[in-house]
Amino acid sequence: MLDNLHNLDLTAKDIELIESALHTQKKILTVQSQAGGSGARKRLSDLKHLMKRIDRSTARPSAETSQTWGQFARMLFCTQCDQVR
C-alpha cells in the first residue's frame, strides 16, 4: 500500500499561520456542529485529528527541560549531593 504523502517546504512562521487559521476554523465548526450540522461534526473531527498530527510533527523544544518525578525525588532526598536545595 502506497501512502500519498507530499512534502512542503514551510517555515516555522508558515506553520504558525496555518495553525492559527485551523484554530479559527475549529471555532467556526464547533458552533456549526452545536447548531446541528452533521457535516460540520465530521469536518470538526477531521480537523481535530489533523491538528493533533501537526502538533506531534512540530514538537517545539521547551524553554527548560522538564524534570521527571524521579529526578525531583532524588533532588529532594539526596544526602550526598553537592547541589543547592
Side-chain angles (χ1 to χ4, degrees), residues 17-70:
L17 181 64
I18 291 168
E19 284 181 310
S20 175
L22 290 175
H23 282 287
T24 302
Q25 185 65 23
K26 180 182 172 186
K27 291 176 185 177
I28 293 167
L29 288 173
T30 300
V31 171
Q32 289 177 347
S33 68
Q34 289 173 348
S38 61
R41 279 191 208 111
K42 168 94 173 84
R43 290 181 60 204
L44 179 60
S45 177
D46 293 343
L47 180 64
K48 286 180 180 180
H49 291 293
L50 174 62
M51 290 174 72
K52 285 180 186 177
R53 285 182 32 219
I54 290 172
D55 191 43
R56 274 183 266 153
S57 68
T58 59
R60 294 169 184 92
S62 61
E64 290 184 19
T65 56
S66 60
Q67 291 185 341
T68 63
W69 284 106

Tab-separated table of all heavy atoms in Angstrom, residues 17-70:
chain	number	residue	atom	x	y	z
A	17	LEU	N	1.096	30.288	11.173
A	17	LEU	CA	-0.034	30.919	10.485
A	17	LEU	C	-1.109	29.890	10.153
A	17	LEU	O	-2.305	30.131	10.359
A	17	LEU	CB	0.453	31.611	9.207
A	17	LEU	CG	-0.604	32.348	8.386
A	17	LEU	CD1	-1.184	33.507	9.185
A	17	LEU	CD2	0.012	32.852	7.093
A	18	ILE	N	-0.691	28.728	9.686
A	18	ILE	CA	-1.643	27.656	9.363
A	18	ILE	C	-2.344	27.176	10.624
A	18	ILE	O	-3.566	26.987	10.638
A	18	ILE	CB	-0.923	26.496	8.650
A	18	ILE	CG1	-0.470	26.944	7.250
A	18	ILE	CG2	-1.813	25.259	8.561
A	18	ILE	CD1	0.481	25.985	6.568
A	19	GLU	N	-1.588	27.002	11.717
A	19	GLU	CA	-2.192	26.576	12.980
A	19	GLU	C	-3.210	27.592	13.484
A	19	GLU	O	-4.282	27.222	13.974
A	19	GLU	CB	-1.118	26.350	14.038
A	19	GLU	CG	-0.357	25.066	13.868
A	19	GLU	CD	0.685	24.863	14.950
A	19	GLU	OE1	1.463	25.800	15.194
A	19	GLU	OE2	0.696	23.776	15.542
A	20	SER	N	-2.894	28.857	13.343
A	20	SER	CA	-3.816	29.910	13.755
A	20	SER	C	-5.115	29.844	12.946
A	20	SER	O	-6.215	29.959	13.496
A	20	SER	CB	-3.151	31.275	13.585
A	20	SER	OG	-4.044	32.306	13.864
A	21	ALA	N	-4.986	29.641	11.637
A	21	ALA	CA	-6.167	29.530	10.778
A	21	ALA	C	-6.980	28.289	11.141
A	21	ALA	O	-8.219	28.323	11.132
A	21	ALA	CB	-5.745	29.491	9.315
A	22	LEU	N	-6.295	27.201	11.472
A	22	LEU	CA	-7.008	25.977	11.845
A	22	LEU	C	-7.753	26.148	13.165
A	22	LEU	O	-8.859	25.620	13.334
A	22	LEU	CB	-6.036	24.797	11.934
A	22	LEU	CG	-5.472	24.302	10.600
A	22	LEU	CD1	-4.434	23.205	10.835
A	22	LEU	CD2	-6.579	23.805	9.692
A	23	HIS	N	-7.173	26.887	14.103
A	23	HIS	CA	-7.875	27.148	15.371
A	23	HIS	C	-9.139	27.980	15.121
A	23	HIS	O	-10.182	27.727	15.727
A	23	HIS	CB	-6.957	27.860	16.364
A	23	HIS	CG	-5.979	26.951	17.027
A	23	HIS	ND1	-6.330	26.038	17.991
A	23	HIS	CD2	-4.651	26.801	16.843
A	23	HIS	CE1	-5.271	25.370	18.376
A	23	HIS	NE2	-4.232	25.812	17.686
A	24	THR	N	-9.047	28.944	14.222
A	24	THR	CA	-10.217	29.743	13.873
A	24	THR	C	-11.283	28.868	13.224
A	24	THR	O	-12.472	28.952	13.565
A	24	THR	CB	-9.825	30.891	12.922
A	24	THR	OG1	-8.832	31.689	13.564
A	24	THR	CG2	-11.018	31.748	12.555
A	25	GLN	N	-10.857	28.001	12.309
A	25	GLN	CA	-11.795	27.089	11.641
A	25	GLN	C	-12.430	26.141	12.647
A	25	GLN	O	-13.608	25.816	12.542
A	25	GLN	CB	-11.068	26.304	10.539
A	25	GLN	CG	-11.981	25.424	9.722
A	25	GLN	CD	-12.990	26.220	8.906
A	25	GLN	OE1	-12.775	27.380	8.598
A	25	GLN	NE2	-14.080	25.584	8.563
A	26	LYS	N	-11.654	25.710	13.636
A	26	LYS	CA	-12.187	24.818	14.670
A	26	LYS	C	-13.307	25.502	15.445
A	26	LYS	O	-14.338	24.893	15.732
A	26	LYS	CB	-11.060	24.403	15.618
A	26	LYS	CG	-11.502	23.482	16.724
A	26	LYS	CD	-10.331	23.154	17.640
A	26	LYS	CE	-10.798	22.393	18.857
A	26	LYS	NZ	-9.703	22.201	19.824
A	27	LYS	N	-13.126	26.785	15.773
A	27	LYS	CA	-14.165	27.526	16.491
A	27	LYS	C	-15.433	27.626	15.653
A	27	LYS	O	-16.542	27.451	16.159
A	27	LYS	CB	-13.659	28.924	16.856
A	27	LYS	CG	-12.582	28.920	17.907
A	27	LYS	CD	-12.053	30.317	18.149
A	27	LYS	CE	-10.883	30.311	19.115
A	27	LYS	NZ	-10.315	31.646	19.307
A	28	ILE	N	-15.268	27.901	14.365
A	28	ILE	CA	-16.424	28.022	13.473
A	28	ILE	C	-17.161	26.684	13.380
A	28	ILE	O	-18.392	26.627	13.500
A	28	ILE	CB	-15.984	28.497	12.072
A	28	ILE	CG1	-15.462	29.940	12.148
A	28	ILE	CG2	-17.115	28.377	11.058
A	28	ILE	CD1	-14.731	30.394	10.902
A	29	LEU	N	-16.413	25.591	13.178
A	29	LEU	CA	-17.037	24.275	13.050
A	29	LEU	C	-17.676	23.821	14.354
A	29	LEU	O	-18.693	23.123	14.338
A	29	LEU	CB	-16.013	23.247	12.579
A	29	LEU	CG	-15.576	23.377	11.123
A	29	LEU	CD1	-14.433	22.426	10.821
A	29	LEU	CD2	-16.741	23.128	10.185
A	30	THR	N	-17.110	24.223	15.482
A	30	THR	CA	-17.713	23.889	16.777
A	30	THR	C	-19.093	24.522	16.899
A	30	THR	O	-20.061	23.858	17.304
A	30	THR	CB	-16.802	24.351	17.928
A	30	THR	OG1	-15.542	23.695	17.821
A	30	THR	CG2	-17.414	24.044	19.277
A	31	VAL	N	-19.210	25.777	16.540
A	31	VAL	CA	-20.504	26.468	16.596
A	31	VAL	C	-21.495	25.820	15.628
A	31	VAL	O	-22.654	25.576	15.980
A	31	VAL	CB	-20.339	27.975	16.285
A	31	VAL	CG1	-21.685	28.657	16.119
A	31	VAL	CG2	-19.525	28.653	17.380
A	32	GLN	N	-21.029	25.515	14.423
A	32	GLN	CA	-21.916	24.893	13.431
A	32	GLN	C	-22.368	23.512	13.872
A	32	GLN	O	-23.527	23.142	13.682
A	32	GLN	CB	-21.217	24.803	12.073
A	32	GLN	CG	-21.043	26.133	11.393
A	32	GLN	CD	-20.273	26.022	10.086
A	32	GLN	OE1	-19.655	25.002	9.794
A	32	GLN	NE2	-20.310	27.094	9.298
A	33	SER	N	-21.467	22.735	14.466
A	33	SER	CA	-21.854	21.387	14.895
A	33	SER	C	-22.808	21.438	16.080
A	33	SER	O	-23.694	20.597	16.210
A	33	SER	CB	-20.624	20.552	15.235
A	33	SER	OG	-19.986	21.036	16.391
A	34	GLN	N	-22.665	22.448	16.950
A	34	GLN	CA	-23.588	22.605	18.072
A	34	GLN	C	-24.974	23.007	17.584
A	34	GLN	O	-25.970	22.742	18.251
A	34	GLN	CB	-23.055	23.626	19.067
A	34	GLN	CG	-21.855	23.133	19.849
A	34	GLN	CD	-21.228	24.217	20.704
A	34	GLN	OE1	-21.526	25.407	20.569
A	34	GLN	NE2	-20.324	23.821	21.591
A	35	ALA	N	-25.021	23.635	16.418
A	35	ALA	CA	-26.303	24.042	15.848
A	35	ALA	C	-26.981	22.881	15.122
A	35	ALA	O	-28.081	23.042	14.615
A	35	ALA	CB	-26.101	25.206	14.886
A	36	GLY	N	-26.315	21.742	15.075
A	36	GLY	CA	-26.956	20.568	14.495
A	36	GLY	C	-26.445	20.167	13.137
A	36	GLY	O	-27.048	19.327	12.480
A	37	GLY	N	-25.345	20.707	12.704
A	37	GLY	CA	-24.809	20.348	11.397
A	37	GLY	C	-24.008	19.061	11.458
A	37	GLY	O	-22.952	19.010	12.062
A	38	SER	N	-24.527	17.996	10.842
A	38	SER	CA	-23.820	16.716	10.872
A	38	SER	C	-22.549	16.768	10.031
A	38	SER	O	-21.554	16.136	10.358
A	38	SER	CB	-24.733	15.586	10.403
A	38	SER	OG	-25.136	15.821	9.069
A	39	GLY	N	-22.583	17.511	8.943
A	39	GLY	CA	-21.384	17.668	8.125
A	39	GLY	C	-20.300	18.417	8.873
A	39	GLY	O	-19.115	18.120	8.743
A	40	ALA	N	-20.719	19.376	9.683
A	40	ALA	CA	-19.770	20.151	10.476
A	40	ALA	C	-19.111	19.269	11.525
A	40	ALA	O	-17.928	19.429	11.822
A	40	ALA	CB	-20.465	21.336	11.135
A	41	ARG	N	-19.867	18.321	12.090
A	41	ARG	CA	-19.290	17.408	13.087
A	41	ARG	C	-18.183	16.562	12.471
A	41	ARG	O	-17.130	16.370	13.062
A	41	ARG	CB	-20.373	16.495	13.670
A	41	ARG	CG	-21.187	17.145	14.732
A	41	ARG	CD	-22.067	16.136	15.472
A	41	ARG	NE	-23.218	16.850	15.955
A	41	ARG	CZ	-24.448	16.705	15.508
A	41	ARG	NH1	-24.724	15.838	14.575
A	41	ARG	NH2	-25.430	17.429	16.005
A	42	LYS	N	-18.431	16.057	11.277
A	42	LYS	CA	-17.432	15.226	10.591
A	42	LYS	C	-16.190	16.058	10.272
A	42	LYS	O	-15.068	15.618	10.508
A	42	LYS	CB	-18.037	14.660	9.305
A	42	LYS	CG	-17.049	14.026	8.358
A	42	LYS	CD	-16.954	12.539	8.576
A	42	LYS	CE	-16.104	11.873	7.511
A	42	LYS	NZ	-14.696	11.911	7.757
A	43	ARG	N	-16.388	17.259	9.746
A	43	ARG	CA	-15.254	18.118	9.409
A	43	ARG	C	-14.493	18.544	10.661
A	43	ARG	O	-13.268	18.625	10.651
A	43	ARG	CB	-15.727	19.340	8.640
A	43	ARG	CG	-16.200	18.979	7.220
A	43	ARG	CD	-16.642	20.166	6.425
A	43	ARG	NE	-15.548	21.121	6.276
A	43	ARG	CZ	-15.726	22.414	6.049
A	43	ARG	NH1	-16.932	22.915	5.948
A	43	ARG	NH2	-14.690	23.220	5.928
A	44	LEU	N	-15.215	18.774	11.769
A	44	LEU	CA	-14.582	19.142	13.030
A	44	LEU	C	-13.719	17.985	13.535
A	44	LEU	O	-12.591	18.192	13.986
A	44	LEU	CB	-15.631	19.522	14.075
A	44	LEU	CG	-15.122	19.915	15.454
A	44	LEU	CD1	-14.200	21.125	15.367
A	44	LEU	CD2	-16.293	20.199	16.390
A	45	SER	N	-14.232	16.789	13.449
A	45	SER	CA	-13.473	15.616	13.862
A	45	SER	C	-12.207	15.461	13.020
A	45	SER	O	-11.110	15.224	13.552
A	45	SER	CB	-14.341	14.366	13.741
A	45	SER	OG	-13.608	13.228	14.072
A	46	ASP	N	-12.349	15.606	11.709
A	46	ASP	CA	-11.186	15.523	10.814
A	46	ASP	C	-10.172	16.616	11.141
A	46	ASP	O	-8.961	16.370	11.137
A	46	ASP	CB	-11.622	15.633	9.352
A	46	ASP	CG	-12.447	14.448	8.884
A	46	ASP	OD1	-12.419	13.391	9.556
A	46	ASP	OD2	-13.135	14.587	7.852
A	47	LEU	N	-10.667	17.805	11.417
A	47	LEU	CA	-9.792	18.930	11.730
A	47	LEU	C	-9.023	18.693	13.026
A	47	LEU	O	-7.829	18.977	13.115
A	47	LEU	CB	-10.609	20.220	11.827
A	47	LEU	CG	-9.831	21.485	12.160
A	47	LEU	CD1	-8.847	21.808	11.042
A	47	LEU	CD2	-10.771	22.640	12.390
A	48	LYS	N	-9.693	18.140	14.035
A	48	LYS	CA	-9.026	17.860	15.303
A	48	LYS	C	-7.899	16.845	15.115
A	48	LYS	O	-6.819	16.981	15.686
A	48	LYS	CB	-10.028	17.358	16.344
A	48	LYS	CG	-10.915	18.447	16.889
A	48	LYS	CD	-11.884	17.882	17.912
A	48	LYS	CE	-12.791	18.953	18.476
A	48	LYS	NZ	-13.738	18.407	19.459
A	49	HIS	N	-8.156	15.814	14.298
A	49	HIS	CA	-7.123	14.816	14.024
A	49	HIS	C	-5.939	15.445	13.295
A	49	HIS	O	-4.784	15.153	13.601
A	49	HIS	CB	-7.681	13.647	13.214
A	49	HIS	CG	-8.643	12.797	13.984
A	49	HIS	ND1	-8.256	12.023	15.055
A	49	HIS	CD2	-9.970	12.608	13.847
A	49	HIS	CE1	-9.312	11.392	15.546
A	49	HIS	NE2	-10.366	11.738	14.835
A	50	LEU	N	-6.227	16.316	12.345
A	50	LEU	CA	-5.166	16.997	11.608
A	50	LEU	C	-4.337	17.876	12.535
A	50	LEU	O	-3.105	17.883	12.477
A	50	LEU	CB	-5.761	17.843	10.480
A	50	LEU	CG	-4.779	18.730	9.715
A	50	LEU	CD1	-3.720	17.888	9.019
A	50	LEU	CD2	-5.524	19.612	8.726
A	51	MET	N	-5.003	18.593	13.433
A	51	MET	CA	-4.289	19.469	14.356
A	51	MET	C	-3.386	18.664	15.294
A	51	MET	O	-2.281	19.089	15.621
A	51	MET	CB	-5.276	20.329	15.139
A	51	MET	CG	-5.958	21.379	14.267
A	51	MET	SD	-7.256	22.292	15.097
A	51	MET	CE	-6.297	23.323	16.188
A	52	LYS	N	-3.838	17.472	15.709
A	52	LYS	CA	-3.003	16.612	16.547
A	52	LYS	C	-1.772	16.149	15.781
A	52	LYS	O	-0.673	16.112	16.326
A	52	LYS	CB	-3.798	15.407	17.042
A	52	LYS	CG	-4.778	15.730	18.138
A	52	LYS	CD	-5.531	14.500	18.575
A	52	LYS	CE	-6.611	14.849	19.567
A	52	LYS	NZ	-7.408	13.667	19.945
A	53	ARG	N	-1.958	15.787	14.506
A	53	ARG	CA	-0.827	15.351	13.684
A	53	ARG	C	0.182	16.476	13.508
A	53	ARG	O	1.386	16.257	13.581
A	53	ARG	CB	-1.305	14.865	12.318
A	53	ARG	CG	-1.944	13.498	12.374
A	53	ARG	CD	-2.402	12.959	11.031
A	53	ARG	NE	-1.625	13.368	9.895
A	53	ARG	CZ	-2.148	13.668	8.705
A	53	ARG	NH1	-3.438	13.593	8.505
A	53	ARG	NH2	-1.368	14.026	7.713
A	54	ILE	N	-0.306	17.682	13.278
A	54	ILE	CA	0.592	18.833	13.112
A	54	ILE	C	1.333	19.098	14.411
A	54	ILE	O	2.541	19.347	14.414
A	54	ILE	CB	-0.187	20.082	12.659
A	54	ILE	CG1	-0.676	19.900	11.224
A	54	ILE	CG2	0.671	21.334	12.776
A	54	ILE	CD1	-1.609	20.987	10.748
A	55	ASP	N	0.628	19.022	15.527
A	55	ASP	CA	1.246	19.285	16.820
A	55	ASP	C	2.345	18.264	17.111
A	55	ASP	O	3.413	18.617	17.600
A	55	ASP	CB	0.185	19.269	17.916
A	55	ASP	CG	0.716	19.790	19.236
A	55	ASP	OD1	1.436	20.798	19.220
A	55	ASP	OD2	0.411	19.183	20.270
A	56	ARG	N	2.088	16.992	16.800
A	56	ARG	CA	3.092	15.956	17.027
A	56	ARG	C	4.305	16.137	16.127
A	56	ARG	O	5.437	15.916	16.542
A	56	ARG	CB	2.506	14.565	16.792
A	56	ARG	CG	1.827	13.996	18.020
A	56	ARG	CD	1.345	12.610	17.740
A	56	ARG	NE	-0.051	12.784	17.325
A	56	ARG	CZ	-0.728	11.986	16.536
A	56	ARG	NH1	-0.180	10.930	16.041
A	56	ARG	NH2	-1.969	12.237	16.228
A	57	SER	N	4.079	16.530	14.898
A	57	SER	CA	5.192	16.637	13.958
A	57	SER	C	5.999	17.916	14.138
A	57	SER	O	7.128	18.000	13.686
A	57	SER	CB	4.692	16.550	12.518
A	57	SER	OG	3.924	17.684	12.189
A	58	THR	N	5.429	18.902	14.796
A	58	THR	CA	6.148	20.160	15.026
A	58	THR	C	6.385	20.365	16.508
A	58	THR	O	6.206	21.462	17.018
A	58	THR	CB	5.371	21.354	14.452
A	58	THR	OG1	4.087	21.414	15.088
A	58	THR	CG2	5.226	21.280	12.962
A	59	ALA	N	6.794	19.306	17.186
A	59	ALA	CA	7.054	19.408	18.618
A	59	ALA	C	8.115	20.460	18.847
A	59	ALA	O	9.201	20.397	18.298
A	59	ALA	CB	7.495	18.064	19.173
A	60	ARG	N	7.766	21.430	19.639
A	60	ARG	CA	8.670	22.533	19.927
A	60	ARG	C	9.451	22.233	21.197
A	60	ARG	O	8.866	21.804	22.185
A	60	ARG	CB	7.873	23.818	20.099
A	60	ARG	CG	7.206	24.227	18.806
A	60	ARG	CD	6.198	25.337	19.063
A	60	ARG	NE	5.498	25.648	17.860
A	60	ARG	CZ	4.349	25.096	17.496
A	60	ARG	NH1	3.794	24.194	18.246
A	60	ARG	NH2	3.766	25.444	16.371
A	61	PRO	N	10.737	22.474	21.180
A	61	PRO	CA	11.505	22.255	22.411
A	61	PRO	C	11.080	23.246	23.487
A	61	PRO	O	10.836	24.414	23.201
A	61	PRO	CB	12.956	22.498	21.994
A	61	PRO	CG	12.878	23.291	20.736
A	61	PRO	CD	11.545	22.980	20.103
A	62	SER	N	10.974	22.754	24.699
A	62	SER	CA	10.563	23.633	25.798
A	62	SER	C	11.724	24.520	26.200
A	62	SER	O	12.891	24.215	25.959
A	62	SER	CB	10.085	22.803	26.990
A	62	SER	OG	11.148	21.992	27.452
A	63	ALA	N	11.409	25.625	26.850
A	63	ALA	CA	12.431	26.571	27.275
A	63	ALA	C	13.368	25.914	28.286
A	63	ALA	O	14.567	26.110	28.262
A	63	ALA	CB	11.778	27.803	27.872
A	64	GLU	N	12.821	25.155	29.178
A	64	GLU	CA	13.608	24.410	30.155
A	64	GLU	C	13.281	22.937	29.991
A	64	GLU	O	12.182	22.573	29.624
A	64	GLU	CB	13.234	24.825	31.579
A	64	GLU	CG	13.666	26.203	31.971
A	64	GLU	CD	13.341	26.477	33.431
A	64	GLU	OE1	13.129	25.524	34.200
A	64	GLU	OE2	13.289	27.651	33.793
A	65	THR	N	14.247	22.102	30.282
A	65	THR	CA	13.955	20.680	30.252
A	65	THR	C	13.166	20.350	31.506
A	65	THR	O	13.561	20.711	32.612
A	65	THR	CB	15.244	19.847	30.189
A	65	THR	OG1	16.061	20.204	31.298
A	65	THR	CG2	15.996	20.103	28.894
A	66	SER	N	12.070	19.690	31.342
A	66	SER	CA	11.230	19.373	32.488
A	66	SER	C	11.815	18.182	33.232
A	66	SER	O	12.381	17.280	32.644
A	66	SER	CB	9.806	19.080	32.034
A	66	SER	OG	9.816	17.987	31.143
A	67	GLN	N	11.674	18.198	34.538
A	67	GLN	CA	12.202	17.138	35.364
A	67	GLN	C	11.157	16.050	35.530
A	67	GLN	O	9.966	16.324	35.620
A	67	GLN	CB	12.583	17.661	36.740
A	67	GLN	CG	13.772	18.580	36.741
A	67	GLN	CD	14.169	18.971	38.152
A	67	GLN	OE1	13.373	18.856	39.079
A	67	GLN	NE2	15.387	19.437	38.314
A	68	THR	N	11.636	14.819	35.586
A	68	THR	CA	10.736	13.709	35.876
A	68	THR	C	10.557	13.637	37.387
A	68	THR	O	11.303	14.253	38.159
A	68	THR	CB	11.313	12.384	35.354
A	68	THR	OG1	12.541	12.114	36.059
A	68	THR	CG2	11.567	12.442	33.856
A	69	TRP	N	9.564	12.874	37.813
A	69	TRP	CA	9.321	12.744	39.252
A	69	TRP	C	10.516	12.095	39.935
A	69	TRP	O	10.860	12.436	41.069
A	69	TRP	CB	8.055	11.927	39.514
A	69	TRP	CG	6.818	12.727	39.265
A	69	TRP	CD1	5.969	12.617	38.208
A	69	TRP	CD2	6.314	13.785	40.071
A	69	TRP	NE1	4.961	13.541	38.317
A	69	TRP	CE2	5.145	14.267	39.448
A	69	TRP	CE3	6.729	14.370	41.253
A	69	TRP	CZ2	4.405	15.307	39.981
A	69	TRP	CZ3	5.985	15.405	41.780
A	69	TRP	CH2	4.831	15.865	41.141
A	70	GLY	N	11.169	11.155	39.275
A	70	GLY	CA	12.338	10.503	39.854
A	70	GLY	C	13.471	11.487	40.088
A	70	GLY	O	14.129	11.464	41.132
